mmCIF file with all atom_site columns, all heavy atoms in Angstrom:
data_model
loop_
_atom_site.group_PDB
_atom_site.id
_atom_site.type_symbol
_atom_site.label_atom_id
_atom_site.label_alt_id
_atom_site.label_comp_id
_atom_site.label_asym_id
_atom_site.label_entity_id
_atom_site.label_seq_id
_atom_site.pdbx_PDB_ins_code
_atom_site.Cartn_x
_atom_site.Cartn_y
_atom_site.Cartn_z
_atom_site.occupancy
_atom_site.B_iso_or_equiv
_atom_site.pdbx_formal_charge
_atom_site.auth_seq_id
_atom_site.auth_comp_id
_atom_site.auth_asym_id
_atom_site.auth_atom_id
_atom_site.pdbx_PDB_model_num
ATOM 1   N N   . TRP X 1 14  ? -105.411 -323.535 -52.296 1.00 40.00 ? 14  TRP X N   1
ATOM 2   C CA  . TRP X 1 14  ? -105.833 -322.298 -51.695 1.00 40.00 ? 14  TRP X CA  1
ATOM 3   C C   . TRP X 1 14  ? -104.826 -321.167 -51.578 1.00 40.00 ? 14  TRP X C   1
ATOM 4   O O   . TRP X 1 14  ? -105.150 -320.001 -51.815 1.00 40.00 ? 14  TRP X O   1
ATOM 5   C CB  . TRP X 1 14  ? -106.295 -322.676 -50.225 1.00 40.00 ? 14  TRP X CB  1
ATOM 6   C CG  . TRP X 1 14  ? -106.229 -321.607 -49.253 1.00 40.00 ? 14  TRP X CG  1
ATOM 7   C CD1 . TRP X 1 14  ? -107.004 -320.533 -49.184 1.00 40.00 ? 14  TRP X CD1 1
ATOM 8   C CD2 . TRP X 1 14  ? -105.333 -321.473 -48.217 1.00 40.00 ? 14  TRP X CD2 1
ATOM 9   N NE1 . TRP X 1 14  ? -106.727 -319.606 -48.256 1.00 40.00 ? 14  TRP X NE1 1
ATOM 10  C CE2 . TRP X 1 14  ? -105.605 -320.122 -47.541 1.00 40.00 ? 14  TRP X CE2 1
ATOM 11  C CE3 . TRP X 1 14  ? -104.222 -322.119 -47.659 1.00 40.00 ? 14  TRP X CE3 1
ATOM 12  C CZ2 . TRP X 1 14  ? -104.889 -319.690 -46.447 1.00 40.00 ? 14  TRP X CZ2 1
ATOM 13  C CZ3 . TRP X 1 14  ? -103.631 -321.658 -46.553 1.00 40.00 ? 14  TRP X CZ3 1
ATOM 14  C CH2 . TRP X 1 14  ? -103.886 -320.447 -46.042 1.00 40.00 ? 14  TRP X CH2 1
ATOM 15  N N   . THR X 1 136 ? -111.282 -308.920 -43.817 1.00 47.00 ? 136 THR X N   1
ATOM 16  C CA  . THR X 1 136 ? -110.882 -309.848 -44.820 1.00 47.00 ? 136 THR X CA  1
ATOM 17  C C   . THR X 1 136 ? -110.399 -309.047 -46.069 1.00 47.00 ? 136 THR X C   1
ATOM 18  O O   . THR X 1 136 ? -110.262 -307.783 -45.880 1.00 47.00 ? 136 THR X O   1
ATOM 19  C CB  . THR X 1 136 ? -112.083 -310.700 -45.248 1.00 47.00 ? 136 THR X CB  1
ATOM 20  O OG1 . THR X 1 136 ? -113.092 -309.876 -45.419 1.00 47.00 ? 136 THR X OG1 1
ATOM 21  C CG2 . THR X 1 136 ? -112.242 -311.743 -44.268 1.00 47.00 ? 136 THR X CG2 1
ATOM 22  N N   . GLU X 1 156 ? -118.450 -324.087 -50.435 1.00 69.00 ? 156 GLU X N   1
ATOM 23  C CA  . GLU X 1 156 ? -117.719 -324.699 -49.289 1.00 69.00 ? 156 GLU X CA  1
ATOM 24  C C   . GLU X 1 156 ? -116.180 -324.358 -49.372 1.00 69.00 ? 156 GLU X C   1
ATOM 25  O O   . GLU X 1 156 ? -115.544 -323.925 -48.494 1.00 69.00 ? 156 GLU X O   1
ATOM 26  C CB  . GLU X 1 156 ? -117.826 -326.255 -49.188 1.00 69.00 ? 156 GLU X CB  1
ATOM 27  C CG  . GLU X 1 156 ? -119.009 -326.655 -48.404 1.00 69.00 ? 156 GLU X CG  1
ATOM 28  C CD  . GLU X 1 156 ? -119.149 -328.164 -48.194 1.00 69.00 ? 156 GLU X CD  1
ATOM 29  O OE1 . GLU X 1 156 ? -118.208 -328.806 -48.698 1.00 69.00 ? 156 GLU X OE1 1
ATOM 30  O OE2 . GLU X 1 156 ? -120.126 -328.621 -47.806 1.00 69.00 ? 156 GLU X OE2 1
ATOM 31  N N   . SER X 1 157 ? -115.760 -324.545 -50.633 1.00 68.00 ? 157 SER X N   1
ATOM 32  C CA  . SER X 1 157 ? -114.358 -324.322 -50.878 1.00 68.00 ? 157 SER X CA  1
ATOM 33  C C   . SER X 1 157 ? -113.886 -322.777 -50.757 1.00 68.00 ? 157 SER X C   1
ATOM 34  O O   . SER X 1 157 ? -113.013 -322.506 -50.017 1.00 68.00 ? 157 SER X O   1
ATOM 35  C CB  . SER X 1 157 ? -114.031 -324.654 -52.415 1.00 68.00 ? 157 SER X CB  1
ATOM 36  O OG  . SER X 1 157 ? -112.826 -324.015 -52.781 1.00 68.00 ? 157 SER X OG  1
ATOM 37  N N   . ARG X 1 158 ? -114.954 -321.949 -51.045 1.00 71.00 ? 158 ARG X N   1
ATOM 38  C CA  . ARG X 1 158 ? -114.624 -320.511 -50.791 1.00 71.00 ? 158 ARG X CA  1
ATOM 39  C C   . ARG X 1 158 ? -114.594 -320.208 -49.322 1.00 71.00 ? 158 ARG X C   1
ATOM 40  O O   . ARG X 1 158 ? -113.835 -319.388 -48.843 1.00 71.00 ? 158 ARG X O   1
ATOM 41  C CB  . ARG X 1 158 ? -115.791 -319.680 -51.559 1.00 71.00 ? 158 ARG X CB  1
ATOM 42  C CG  . ARG X 1 158 ? -115.566 -318.272 -51.661 1.00 71.00 ? 158 ARG X CG  1
ATOM 43  C CD  . ARG X 1 158 ? -116.558 -317.611 -52.502 1.00 71.00 ? 158 ARG X CD  1
ATOM 44  N NE  . ARG X 1 158 ? -116.182 -317.618 -53.970 1.00 71.00 ? 158 ARG X NE  1
ATOM 45  C CZ  . ARG X 1 158 ? -116.901 -317.337 -54.847 1.00 71.00 ? 158 ARG X CZ  1
ATOM 46  N NH1 . ARG X 1 158 ? -118.133 -316.757 -54.693 1.00 71.00 ? 158 ARG X NH1 1
ATOM 47  N NH2 . ARG X 1 158 ? -116.657 -317.342 -56.121 1.00 71.00 ? 158 ARG X NH2 1
ATOM 48  N N   . GLN X 1 159 ? -115.586 -320.757 -48.637 1.00 72.00 ? 159 GLN X N   1
ATOM 49  C CA  . GLN X 1 159 ? -115.597 -320.525 -47.212 1.00 72.00 ? 159 GLN X CA  1
ATOM 50  C C   . GLN X 1 159 ? -114.415 -321.008 -46.377 1.00 72.00 ? 159 GLN X C   1
ATOM 51  O O   . GLN X 1 159 ? -113.850 -320.312 -45.607 1.00 72.00 ? 159 GLN X O   1
ATOM 52  C CB  . GLN X 1 159 ? -116.826 -321.299 -46.531 1.00 72.00 ? 159 GLN X CB  1
ATOM 53  C CG  . GLN X 1 159 ? -118.111 -320.505 -46.758 1.00 72.00 ? 159 GLN X CG  1
ATOM 54  C CD  . GLN X 1 159 ? -119.241 -321.366 -46.240 1.00 72.00 ? 159 GLN X CD  1
ATOM 55  O OE1 . GLN X 1 159 ? -119.219 -322.566 -46.042 1.00 72.00 ? 159 GLN X OE1 1
ATOM 56  N NE2 . GLN X 1 159 ? -120.520 -320.630 -46.171 1.00 72.00 ? 159 GLN X NE2 1
ATOM 57  N N   . LEU X 1 160 ? -113.917 -322.220 -46.982 1.00 72.00 ? 160 LEU X N   1
ATOM 58  C CA  . LEU X 1 160 ? -112.674 -322.760 -46.338 1.00 72.00 ? 160 LEU X CA  1
ATOM 59  C C   . LEU X 1 160 ? -111.490 -321.822 -46.715 1.00 72.00 ? 160 LEU X C   1
ATOM 60  O O   . LEU X 1 160 ? -110.623 -321.569 -45.893 1.00 72.00 ? 160 LEU X O   1
ATOM 61  C CB  . LEU X 1 160 ? -112.478 -324.215 -46.955 1.00 72.00 ? 160 LEU X CB  1
ATOM 62  C CG  . LEU X 1 160 ? -111.191 -324.848 -46.454 1.00 72.00 ? 160 LEU X CG  1
ATOM 63  C CD1 . LEU X 1 160 ? -111.173 -325.030 -44.926 1.00 72.00 ? 160 LEU X CD1 1
ATOM 64  C CD2 . LEU X 1 160 ? -111.026 -326.254 -47.111 1.00 72.00 ? 160 LEU X CD2 1
ATOM 65  N N   . ASN X 1 161 ? -111.463 -321.446 -47.912 1.00 70.00 ? 161 ASN X N   1
ATOM 66  C CA  . ASN X 1 161 ? -110.330 -320.472 -48.338 1.00 70.00 ? 161 ASN X CA  1
ATOM 67  C C   . ASN X 1 161 ? -110.321 -319.267 -47.400 1.00 70.00 ? 161 ASN X C   1
ATOM 68  O O   . ASN X 1 161 ? -109.304 -318.769 -46.994 1.00 70.00 ? 161 ASN X O   1
ATOM 69  C CB  . ASN X 1 161 ? -110.421 -320.001 -49.748 1.00 70.00 ? 161 ASN X CB  1
ATOM 70  C CG  . ASN X 1 161 ? -110.027 -321.090 -50.751 1.00 70.00 ? 161 ASN X CG  1
ATOM 71  O OD1 . ASN X 1 161 ? -109.538 -322.093 -50.361 1.00 70.00 ? 161 ASN X OD1 1
ATOM 72  N ND2 . ASN X 1 161 ? -110.207 -320.764 -52.022 1.00 70.00 ? 161 ASN X ND2 1
ATOM 73  N N   . ASP X 1 162 ? -111.492 -318.668 -47.287 1.00 72.00 ? 162 ASP X N   1
ATOM 74  C CA  . ASP X 1 162 ? -111.682 -317.453 -46.523 1.00 72.00 ? 162 ASP X CA  1
ATOM 75  C C   . ASP X 1 162 ? -111.186 -317.760 -45.084 1.00 72.00 ? 162 ASP X C   1
ATOM 76  O O   . ASP X 1 162 ? -110.452 -316.914 -44.600 1.00 72.00 ? 162 ASP X O   1
ATOM 77  C CB  . ASP X 1 162 ? -113.100 -316.901 -46.523 1.00 72.00 ? 162 ASP X CB  1
ATOM 78  C CG  . ASP X 1 162 ? -113.505 -316.362 -47.907 1.00 72.00 ? 162 ASP X CG  1
ATOM 79  O OD1 . ASP X 1 162 ? -112.488 -316.119 -48.663 1.00 72.00 ? 162 ASP X OD1 1
ATOM 80  O OD2 . ASP X 1 162 ? -114.705 -316.128 -48.101 1.00 72.00 ? 162 ASP X OD2 1
ATOM 81  N N   . ALA X 1 163 ? -111.624 -318.832 -44.548 1.00 75.00 ? 163 ALA X N   1
ATOM 82  C CA  . ALA X 1 163 ? -111.369 -319.067 -43.177 1.00 75.00 ? 163 ALA X CA  1
ATOM 83  C C   . ALA X 1 163 ? -109.790 -319.342 -42.971 1.00 75.00 ? 163 ALA X C   1
ATOM 84  O O   . ALA X 1 163 ? -109.161 -318.807 -42.042 1.00 75.00 ? 163 ALA X O   1
ATOM 85  C CB  . ALA X 1 163 ? -112.073 -320.319 -42.659 1.00 75.00 ? 163 ALA X CB  1
ATOM 86  N N   . LEU X 1 164 ? -109.175 -320.084 -43.994 1.00 74.00 ? 164 LEU X N   1
ATOM 87  C CA  . LEU X 1 164 ? -107.744 -320.245 -43.890 1.00 74.00 ? 164 LEU X CA  1
ATOM 88  C C   . LEU X 1 164 ? -107.016 -319.000 -44.001 1.00 74.00 ? 164 LEU X C   1
ATOM 89  O O   . LEU X 1 164 ? -106.039 -318.684 -43.298 1.00 74.00 ? 164 LEU X O   1
ATOM 90  C CB  . LEU X 1 164 ? -107.406 -321.311 -44.973 1.00 74.00 ? 164 LEU X CB  1
ATOM 91  C CG  . LEU X 1 164 ? -107.683 -322.652 -44.642 1.00 74.00 ? 164 LEU X CG  1
ATOM 92  C CD1 . LEU X 1 164 ? -107.457 -323.659 -45.898 1.00 74.00 ? 164 LEU X CD1 1
ATOM 93  C CD2 . LEU X 1 164 ? -106.666 -323.204 -43.461 1.00 74.00 ? 164 LEU X CD2 1
ATOM 94  N N   . ASN X 1 165 ? -107.489 -318.262 -45.069 1.00 70.00 ? 165 ASN X N   1
ATOM 95  C CA  . ASN X 1 165 ? -106.864 -316.987 -45.273 1.00 70.00 ? 165 ASN X CA  1
ATOM 96  C C   . ASN X 1 165 ? -106.886 -316.087 -43.877 1.00 70.00 ? 165 ASN X C   1
ATOM 97  O O   . ASN X 1 165 ? -105.805 -315.475 -43.524 1.00 70.00 ? 165 ASN X O   1
ATOM 98  C CB  . ASN X 1 165 ? -107.603 -316.107 -46.327 1.00 70.00 ? 165 ASN X CB  1
ATOM 99  C CG  . ASN X 1 165 ? -106.673 -316.013 -47.589 1.00 70.00 ? 165 ASN X CG  1
ATOM 100 O OD1 . ASN X 1 165 ? -105.527 -315.809 -47.438 1.00 70.00 ? 165 ASN X OD1 1
ATOM 101 N ND2 . ASN X 1 165 ? -107.464 -316.001 -48.658 1.00 70.00 ? 165 ASN X ND2 1
ATOM 102 N N   . ARG X 1 166 ? -108.057 -316.017 -43.348 1.00 74.00 ? 166 ARG X N   1
ATOM 103 C CA  . ARG X 1 166 ? -108.172 -315.300 -42.109 1.00 74.00 ? 166 ARG X CA  1
ATOM 104 C C   . ARG X 1 166 ? -107.312 -315.798 -41.016 1.00 74.00 ? 166 ARG X C   1
ATOM 105 O O   . ARG X 1 166 ? -106.647 -315.057 -40.296 1.00 74.00 ? 166 ARG X O   1
ATOM 106 C CB  . ARG X 1 166 ? -109.594 -315.360 -41.725 1.00 74.00 ? 166 ARG X CB  1
ATOM 107 C CG  . ARG X 1 166 ? -110.212 -314.085 -41.016 1.00 74.00 ? 166 ARG X CG  1
ATOM 108 C CD  . ARG X 1 166 ? -111.628 -314.052 -40.833 1.00 74.00 ? 166 ARG X CD  1
ATOM 109 N NE  . ARG X 1 166 ? -112.304 -315.338 -40.607 1.00 74.00 ? 166 ARG X NE  1
ATOM 110 C CZ  . ARG X 1 166 ? -113.174 -316.008 -41.340 1.00 74.00 ? 166 ARG X CZ  1
ATOM 111 N NH1 . ARG X 1 166 ? -113.546 -315.464 -42.468 1.00 74.00 ? 166 ARG X NH1 1
ATOM 112 N NH2 . ARG X 1 166 ? -113.750 -317.243 -41.023 1.00 74.00 ? 166 ARG X NH2 1
ATOM 113 N N   . GLU X 1 167 ? -107.203 -317.164 -40.797 1.00 77.00 ? 167 GLU X N   1
ATOM 114 C CA  . GLU X 1 167 ? -106.559 -317.637 -39.765 1.00 77.00 ? 167 GLU X CA  1
ATOM 115 C C   . GLU X 1 167 ? -105.026 -317.514 -39.931 1.00 77.00 ? 167 GLU X C   1
ATOM 116 O O   . GLU X 1 167 ? -104.213 -317.295 -39.072 1.00 77.00 ? 167 GLU X O   1
ATOM 117 C CB  . GLU X 1 167 ? -106.863 -319.079 -39.499 1.00 77.00 ? 167 GLU X CB  1
ATOM 118 C CG  . GLU X 1 167 ? -108.432 -319.351 -39.058 1.00 77.00 ? 167 GLU X CG  1
ATOM 119 C CD  . GLU X 1 167 ? -108.773 -318.525 -37.835 1.00 77.00 ? 167 GLU X CD  1
ATOM 120 O OE1 . GLU X 1 167 ? -107.876 -318.098 -37.079 1.00 77.00 ? 167 GLU X OE1 1
ATOM 121 O OE2 . GLU X 1 167 ? -110.024 -318.403 -37.592 1.00 77.00 ? 167 GLU X OE2 1
ATOM 122 N N   . LEU X 1 168 ? -104.589 -317.770 -41.211 1.00 76.00 ? 168 LEU X N   1
ATOM 123 C CA  . LEU X 1 168 ? -103.250 -317.531 -41.464 1.00 76.00 ? 168 LEU X CA  1
ATOM 124 C C   . LEU X 1 168 ? -102.673 -316.170 -41.218 1.00 76.00 ? 168 LEU X C   1
ATOM 125 O O   . LEU X 1 168 ? -101.543 -315.990 -40.780 1.00 76.00 ? 168 LEU X O   1
ATOM 126 C CB  . LEU X 1 168 ? -102.941 -317.990 -42.927 1.00 76.00 ? 168 LEU X CB  1
ATOM 127 C CG  . LEU X 1 168 ? -101.383 -318.118 -43.327 1.00 76.00 ? 168 LEU X CG  1
ATOM 128 C CD1 . LEU X 1 168 ? -100.739 -319.220 -42.603 1.00 76.00 ? 168 LEU X CD1 1
ATOM 129 C CD2 . LEU X 1 168 ? -101.082 -318.305 -44.748 1.00 76.00 ? 168 LEU X CD2 1
ATOM 130 N N   . LYS X 1 169 ? -103.604 -315.227 -41.423 1.00 73.00 ? 169 LYS X N   1
ATOM 131 C CA  . LYS X 1 169 ? -103.144 -313.825 -41.249 1.00 73.00 ? 169 LYS X CA  1
ATOM 132 C C   . LYS X 1 169 ? -103.083 -313.569 -39.693 1.00 73.00 ? 169 LYS X C   1
ATOM 133 O O   . LYS X 1 169 ? -102.293 -312.636 -39.383 1.00 73.00 ? 169 LYS X O   1
ATOM 134 C CB  . LYS X 1 169 ? -104.264 -312.868 -41.760 1.00 73.00 ? 169 LYS X CB  1
ATOM 135 C CG  . LYS X 1 169 ? -103.945 -312.561 -43.277 1.00 73.00 ? 169 LYS X CG  1
ATOM 136 C CD  . LYS X 1 169 ? -104.596 -311.241 -43.780 1.00 73.00 ? 169 LYS X CD  1
ATOM 137 C CE  . LYS X 1 169 ? -105.991 -311.426 -44.094 1.00 73.00 ? 169 LYS X CE  1
ATOM 138 N NZ  . LYS X 1 169 ? -106.572 -310.154 -44.619 1.00 73.00 ? 169 LYS X NZ  1
ATOM 139 N N   . GLN X 1 170 ? -103.657 -314.421 -38.878 1.00 78.00 ? 170 GLN X N   1
ATOM 140 C CA  . GLN X 1 170 ? -103.606 -314.197 -37.441 1.00 78.00 ? 170 GLN X CA  1
ATOM 141 C C   . GLN X 1 170 ? -102.257 -314.778 -36.920 1.00 78.00 ? 170 GLN X C   1
ATOM 142 O O   . GLN X 1 170 ? -101.859 -314.526 -35.741 1.00 78.00 ? 170 GLN X O   1
ATOM 143 C CB  . GLN X 1 170 ? -104.728 -314.856 -36.811 1.00 78.00 ? 170 GLN X CB  1
ATOM 144 C CG  . GLN X 1 170 ? -106.110 -314.440 -37.245 1.00 78.00 ? 170 GLN X CG  1
ATOM 145 C CD  . GLN X 1 170 ? -106.246 -312.940 -37.003 1.00 78.00 ? 170 GLN X CD  1
ATOM 146 O OE1 . GLN X 1 170 ? -106.008 -312.379 -35.969 1.00 78.00 ? 170 GLN X OE1 1
ATOM 147 N NE2 . GLN X 1 170 ? -106.794 -312.276 -38.034 1.00 78.00 ? 170 GLN X NE2 1
ATOM 148 N N   . LEU X 1 214 ? -102.262 -323.203 -36.820 1.00 82.00 ? 214 LEU X N   1
ATOM 149 C CA  . LEU X 1 214 ? -103.462 -323.171 -37.866 1.00 82.00 ? 214 LEU X CA  1
ATOM 150 C C   . LEU X 1 214 ? -104.325 -324.348 -37.630 1.00 82.00 ? 214 LEU X C   1
ATOM 151 O O   . LEU X 1 214 ? -105.558 -324.250 -37.742 1.00 82.00 ? 214 LEU X O   1
ATOM 152 C CB  . LEU X 1 214 ? -102.784 -323.350 -39.235 1.00 82.00 ? 214 LEU X CB  1
ATOM 153 C CG  . LEU X 1 214 ? -102.599 -322.162 -40.104 1.00 82.00 ? 214 LEU X CG  1
ATOM 154 C CD1 . LEU X 1 214 ? -101.937 -322.552 -41.441 1.00 82.00 ? 214 LEU X CD1 1
ATOM 155 C CD2 . LEU X 1 214 ? -103.892 -321.329 -40.246 1.00 82.00 ? 214 LEU X CD2 1
ATOM 156 N N   . LYS X 1 217 ? -106.698 -323.513 -34.860 1.00 77.00 ? 217 LYS X N   1
ATOM 157 C CA  . LYS X 1 217 ? -107.659 -322.536 -35.180 1.00 77.00 ? 217 LYS X CA  1
ATOM 158 C C   . LYS X 1 217 ? -108.709 -323.071 -36.126 1.00 77.00 ? 217 LYS X C   1
ATOM 159 O O   . LYS X 1 217 ? -109.936 -322.816 -36.037 1.00 77.00 ? 217 LYS X O   1
ATOM 160 C CB  . LYS X 1 217 ? -106.918 -321.269 -35.857 1.00 77.00 ? 217 LYS X CB  1
ATOM 161 C CG  . LYS X 1 217 ? -106.238 -320.414 -34.938 1.00 77.00 ? 217 LYS X CG  1
ATOM 162 C CD  . LYS X 1 217 ? -105.396 -319.519 -35.702 1.00 77.00 ? 217 LYS X CD  1
ATOM 163 C CE  . LYS X 1 217 ? -104.515 -318.590 -34.811 1.00 77.00 ? 217 LYS X CE  1
ATOM 164 N NZ  . LYS X 1 217 ? -105.206 -317.519 -34.107 1.00 77.00 ? 217 LYS X NZ  1
ATOM 165 N N   . MET X 1 218 ? -108.287 -323.979 -37.040 1.00 76.00 ? 218 MET X N   1
ATOM 166 C CA  . MET X 1 218 ? -109.155 -324.429 -38.059 1.00 76.00 ? 218 MET X CA  1
ATOM 167 C C   . MET X 1 218 ? -110.049 -325.544 -37.369 1.00 76.00 ? 218 MET X C   1
ATOM 168 O O   . MET X 1 218 ? -111.370 -325.608 -37.805 1.00 76.00 ? 218 MET X O   1
ATOM 169 C CB  . MET X 1 218 ? -108.463 -325.089 -39.312 1.00 76.00 ? 218 MET X CB  1
ATOM 170 C CG  . MET X 1 218 ? -107.828 -324.066 -40.135 1.00 76.00 ? 218 MET X CG  1
ATOM 171 S SD  . MET X 1 218 ? -108.885 -322.606 -40.606 1.00 76.00 ? 218 MET X SD  1
ATOM 172 C CE  . MET X 1 218 ? -110.113 -323.464 -41.616 1.00 76.00 ? 218 MET X CE  1
ATOM 173 N N   . PHE X 1 221 ? -112.821 -323.638 -36.049 1.00 67.00 ? 221 PHE X N   1
ATOM 174 C CA  . PHE X 1 221 ? -113.664 -323.236 -37.132 1.00 67.00 ? 221 PHE X CA  1
ATOM 175 C C   . PHE X 1 221 ? -114.698 -324.356 -37.427 1.00 67.00 ? 221 PHE X C   1
ATOM 176 O O   . PHE X 1 221 ? -115.898 -324.069 -37.607 1.00 67.00 ? 221 PHE X O   1
ATOM 177 C CB  . PHE X 1 221 ? -112.900 -322.740 -38.355 1.00 67.00 ? 221 PHE X CB  1
ATOM 178 C CG  . PHE X 1 221 ? -113.608 -322.615 -39.661 1.00 67.00 ? 221 PHE X CG  1
ATOM 179 C CD1 . PHE X 1 221 ? -114.313 -321.447 -39.872 1.00 67.00 ? 221 PHE X CD1 1
ATOM 180 C CD2 . PHE X 1 221 ? -113.676 -323.571 -40.544 1.00 67.00 ? 221 PHE X CD2 1
ATOM 181 C CE1 . PHE X 1 221 ? -115.095 -321.205 -41.045 1.00 67.00 ? 221 PHE X CE1 1
ATOM 182 C CE2 . PHE X 1 221 ? -114.439 -323.509 -41.823 1.00 67.00 ? 221 PHE X CE2 1
ATOM 183 C CZ  . PHE X 1 221 ? -115.016 -322.209 -42.032 1.00 67.00 ? 221 PHE X CZ  1
ATOM 184 N N   . PHE X 1 222 ? -114.106 -325.450 -37.668 1.00 67.00 ? 222 PHE X N   1
ATOM 185 C CA  . PHE X 1 222 ? -115.093 -326.572 -38.129 1.00 67.00 ? 222 PHE X CA  1
ATOM 186 C C   . PHE X 1 222 ? -115.979 -326.956 -37.033 1.00 67.00 ? 222 PHE X C   1
ATOM 187 O O   . PHE X 1 222 ? -117.082 -327.367 -37.236 1.00 67.00 ? 222 PHE X O   1
ATOM 188 C CB  . PHE X 1 222 ? -114.152 -327.812 -38.418 1.00 67.00 ? 222 PHE X CB  1
ATOM 189 C CG  . PHE X 1 222 ? -113.569 -327.664 -39.827 1.00 67.00 ? 222 PHE X CG  1
ATOM 190 C CD1 . PHE X 1 222 ? -112.116 -327.458 -39.999 1.00 67.00 ? 222 PHE X CD1 1
ATOM 191 C CD2 . PHE X 1 222 ? -114.334 -327.576 -40.910 1.00 67.00 ? 222 PHE X CD2 1
ATOM 192 C CE1 . PHE X 1 222 ? -111.526 -327.322 -41.129 1.00 67.00 ? 222 PHE X CE1 1
ATOM 193 C CE2 . PHE X 1 222 ? -113.697 -327.453 -42.243 1.00 67.00 ? 222 PHE X CE2 1
ATOM 194 C CZ  . PHE X 1 222 ? -112.318 -327.229 -42.316 1.00 67.00 ? 222 PHE X CZ  1
ATOM 195 N N   . GLU X 1 225 ? -118.730 -324.534 -37.265 1.00 59.00 ? 225 GLU X N   1
ATOM 196 C CA  . GLU X 1 225 ? -119.420 -324.769 -38.481 1.00 59.00 ? 225 GLU X CA  1
ATOM 197 C C   . GLU X 1 225 ? -120.486 -325.910 -38.185 1.00 59.00 ? 225 GLU X C   1
ATOM 198 O O   . GLU X 1 225 ? -121.621 -325.789 -38.691 1.00 59.00 ? 225 GLU X O   1
ATOM 199 C CB  . GLU X 1 225 ? -118.586 -325.293 -39.709 1.00 59.00 ? 225 GLU X CB  1
ATOM 200 C CG  . GLU X 1 225 ? -117.822 -324.038 -40.288 1.00 59.00 ? 225 GLU X CG  1
ATOM 201 C CD  . GLU X 1 225 ? -118.758 -323.271 -41.225 1.00 59.00 ? 225 GLU X CD  1
ATOM 202 O OE1 . GLU X 1 225 ? -119.174 -323.948 -42.146 1.00 59.00 ? 225 GLU X OE1 1
ATOM 203 O OE2 . GLU X 1 225 ? -119.009 -322.102 -40.928 1.00 59.00 ? 225 GLU X OE2 1
#
Side-chain angles (χ1 to χ4, degrees):
Chain X
W14 155 65
T136 50
E156 275 184 9
S157 164
R158 190 172 280 171
Q159 281 174 347
L160 180 61
N161 280 358
D162 287 349
L164 279 167
N165 248 324
R166 211 170 37 241
E167 297 304 344
L168 188 67
K169 275 205 273 186
Q170 306 298 317
L214 261 183
K217 283 171 186 285
M218 289 311 292
F221 168 80
F222 284 111
E225 280 286 296

